[in-house]
Amino acid sequence: MSNPISNRYDFVLIFDVKDGNPNGDPDAGNLPRIDPETGQGLVTDVCLKRKVRNFVQMTKGASPYDIFIKEKAILNNLIGEAHEQPEVKSKEKGDKTEAARKWMCSKYYDIRTFGAVMSTGDNAGQVRGPVQLTFGRSIDTIVTLEHSITRMAVATQAEADKQSGDNRTMGRKNTVPYGIYVSYGFISPHLAAQTGFNDEDLELFWNALVNMFEHDHSAARGMMSTCKLVIFKHESALGNASSRELFKRVTVKKNNEDEPARDFSDYTITICQDNLPTGVTIRPFP
């Protein structure tokens, strides 16, 4: 694999949801997450990272693009596998943890990218990943709708007997009619040097952000898609401008403030490329 990346990156991810629940809150009956003070919708960074992991697992799947945090994984068993590798077993006791950490980084894409805590069993240390994301936050306040739904079947014979053969099960479904969300991200070459996150990993990450919703459709999530990905590349490892200054260059504005938005076309995204700080370039997708 190639050398770790040497440039700093900041990026803006804009995505939307229509007639779906983008990220249910298990502590609130799986209602769409919301900021109670502003009414804006929220999507956690963990949710977005999960979709990146799923995309990489689906498109790559094998080492060096295997996924550590995946469904039904037993993490301590995977950490233990690292300690069974010849290059780890041959090390002195004090060096085994570092050798195991390096092996885990080389095999698992999500460890190289997002980091991981691997000290829960056979110790492989802790890794702070070079890629970090903020919560997605909707541009406007959202409305959550509750819908009654009917299943033309029951689960048990006792339920059927109680309904005299009518066999209906009632349920509820919560959706957001429409919301456009913005999440911000940061990529550190200094942390990439510790995990081995390289240019191939970076391109795969951009590809995942653009396409992850296309392969994650479900009845609960409705229509979700990436609307725009704006990447700021710095010439240096430390960066040539503050992320806050760069993020201000991307604005999402509702076209008609008096009408409820129901589609991406109800908004205009503007990217200001005038007088960019020296050493910074912009790469928008699409």
Side-chain angles (χ1 to χ4, degrees):
M1 298 182 73
S2 63
N3 294 326
I5 62 171
S6 57
N7 302 86
R8 193 186 108 188
Y9 293 85
D10 299 304
F11 61 91
V12 182
L13 173 67
I14 303 172
F15 60 96
D16 67 350
V17 59
K18 187 172 186 177
D19 297 326
N21 184 351
N23 184 202
D25 185 350
D27 289 330
N30 210 43
L31 289 168
R33 296 179 190 271
I34 192 170
D35 182 332
E37 293 186 325
T38 66
Q40 292 171 291
L42 300 174
V43 173
T44 67
D45 61 317
V46 174
C47 174
L48 297 174
K49 290 176 182 178
R50 175 76 272 150
K51 296 183 190 306
V52 170
R53 286 183 168 101
N54 289 346
F55 179 85
V56 173
Q57 186 176 3
M58 179 185 65
T59 57
K60 296 290 186 178
S63 179
Y65 299 103
D66 203 354
I67 297 299
F68 180 59
I69 306 293
K70 56 188 173 185
E71 186 176 2
K72 298 180 181 179
I74 302 175
L75 302 183
N76 282 359
N77 290 352
L78 302 181
I79 298 170
E81 181 185 358
H83 281 266
E84 294 301 317
Q85 303 305 309
E87 61 267 38
V88 178
K89 295 179 72 173
S90 63
K91 296 291 183 180
E92 296 294 331
K93 184 175 181 180
D95 298 327
K96 285 184 182 294
T97 297
E98 178 61 16
R101 186 193 69 80
K102 289 182 178 179
W103 188 86
M104 295 290 284
C105 285
S106 69
K107 179 174 181 178
Y108 294 106
Y109 177 83
D110 56 335
I111 294 178
R112 288 198 303 277
T113 306
F114 303 127
V117 176
M118 299 177 291
S119 54
T120 55
D122 292 327
N123 194 0
Q126 298 185 24
V127 176
R128 184 179 172 194
V131 179
Q132 299 301 329
L133 287 157
T134 68
F135 276 31
R137 178 177 287 270
S138 68
I139 294 296
D140 298 309
T141 60
I142 62 168
V143 176
T144 60
L145 302 180
E146 186 175 48
H147 313 274
S148 295
I149 56 176
T150 305
R151 181 178 68 178
M152 303 302 293
V154 292
T156 67
Q157 182 62 47
E159 289 180 284
D161 294 341
K162 187 175 181 179
Q163 295 188 29
S164 301
D166 193 32
N167 290 16
R168 293 172 183 265
T169 305
M170 300 299 294
R172 296 197 175 278
K173 184 175 184 178
N174 298 95
T175 64
V176 174
Y178 187 78
I180 188 165
Y181 294 72
V182 179
S183 175
Y184 300 101
F186 319 87
I187 303 180
S188 165
H190 299 285
L191 295 176
Q194 298 177 26
T195 69
F197 184 83
N198 58 35
D199 289 326
E200 289 82 358
D201 293 331
L202 180 64
E203 286 303 313
L204 179 56
F205 179 68
W206 299 142
N207 190 23
L209 290 183
V210 171
N211 296 293
M212 60 187 179
F213 296 115
E214 298 299 321
H215 306 279
D216 191 57
H217 294 299
S218 75
R221 281 185 281 278
M223 177 69 77
M224 292 188 70
S225 60
T226 296
C227 304
K228 182 72 73 174
L229 173 64
V230 183
I231 302 165
F232 297 94
K233 180 180 180 180
H234 300 255
E235 280 187 357
S236 68
L238 289 175
N240 300 85
S242 71
S243 57
R244 180 181 293 273
E245 176 186 349
L246 298 177
F247 292 155
K248 287 180 179 179
R249 291 177 170 270
V250 182
T251 58
V252 184
K253 184 173 179 57
K254 194 175 179 182
N255 297 331
N256 188 343
E257 294 293 343
D258 297 325
E259 296 290 334
R262 288 296 182 267
D263 192 78
F264 176 57
S265 61
D266 293 330
Y267 290 85
T268 298
I269 297 177
T270 303
I271 305 171
C272 178
Q273 303 194 42
D274 298 334
N275 300 315
L276 277 174
T278 302
V280 176
T281 56
I282 296 181
R283 178 182 173 186
F285 287 93

